[in-house]
Amino acid sequence: MDFHHLRTDTAFDLDLTLSSGQFFRWKPYKSGYLIQDAQKCFIIWQRNSDLEYTSVCGKVSSQYLTDFFRLDDDLEQIFSRWNDSSVRKAFSRYKGLRLIRQDPWECALSFLCSMASNIPRITQNINTLATRFGASTQTPYGSFSRLPTPEQLAEVSLEDLYNAGVGFRAKYLYGLAKSGLHLESLRDEDYKTAKATLLSIKGIGDKVADCILLFSLDHLEAFPVDTWIMQALQTWIFPDLSGSPAQFAEQARKHFGAFAGYAQQYLFHHARAIL
DNA sequence: CTCCAGGAGTATC
DNA sequence: GATACTCATGGA
């Protein structure tokens, strides 16, 4: 096989980044990881500042990995503007935790599955969608199921989706697939316009929309507020504020600014660890 | 058995 | 605009 190297001259922690609950199609493989991103599949190891990787299916390059793991984001500069002790503590404790720039379609499916669920089950759901409705690829490393494309999922019946074990989320996945919404075009729109479009899809509310915008569409000012972040904000950032999750999200975006999503990801990880 | 989980839609006031 | 109820399923 063809192995390549990528040297990371900025902080990057592959284990932390993968296990931080933003992306679900990965699993341990021989002291490294096997990662599936939309239609691609690759294996990757990290040893200090060196990433070693090889494509399994689809073309994976150093540029692709730099984009996928957002290795060009300057974390020191992004976090230098924030003085909240909890954020500073999380930043020093979780060095190298990065947002992932994942495929928008995969991201939308994942976070539609995420509602009233948990990370292990989201992982199970997204993998089931792939094995049942996606194409299968034979590789030297075994057989892999690709995620169904929007066109492929649009051909799946509502009944088959319910039988895939995604619960009440089936009707929302069905609606998204039938909508024909072109997620990629939302990358170039401003945050509020892009979010309004996402909110027009049944099943996508404030939180899921912000996850899609943050994790796949480069809208780093998005600040998804779930139950964990709600606790984190009330405990650490706005102890005197009361209100709805939407109001806390609004305050958080004002407080953290253009890169609020990075503060969110660290606070989420921190809250999950100690609250 | 009951309760809850990286929520959101709907009805009702 | 707030609040309560509902939606499926699996694990604790």
Side-chain angles (χ1 to χ4, degrees), chain A residues 83-102:
Chain A
N83 292 317
D84 312 86
S85 62
S86 56
V87 175
R88 304 246 30 109
K89 185 175 298 180
F91 182 53
S92 66
R93 187 170 300 186
Y94 309 121
K95 279 292 177 202
L97 169 59
R98 284 173 184 275
L99 291 171
I100 287 177
R101 184 187 278 112
Q102 62 180 282

Side-chain angles (χ1 to χ4, degrees), chain A residues 81-82 84 87 223 237 252-260 263 267:
Chain A
R81 69 171 67 188
W82 299 323
D84 312 86
V87 175
F223 194 96
I237 312 294
R253 279 197 300 277
K254 272 187 198 164
H255 181 73
F256 291 113
F259 296 91
L267 285 172

Side-chain angles (χ1 to χ4, degrees), chain A residues 189-222:
Chain A
E189 296 180 358
D190 63 78
Y191 168 73
K192 291 203 169 179
T193 306
K195 184 164 179 178
T197 302
L198 287 174
L199 291 176
S200 71
I201 301 292
K202 275 197 192 303
I204 298 183
D206 264 317
K207 190 267 177 184
V208 171
D210 278 329
C211 284
I212 298 169
L213 292 168
L214 176 62
F215 298 140
S216 73
L217 291 168
D218 289 311
H219 289 286
L220 299 192
E221 71 268 50

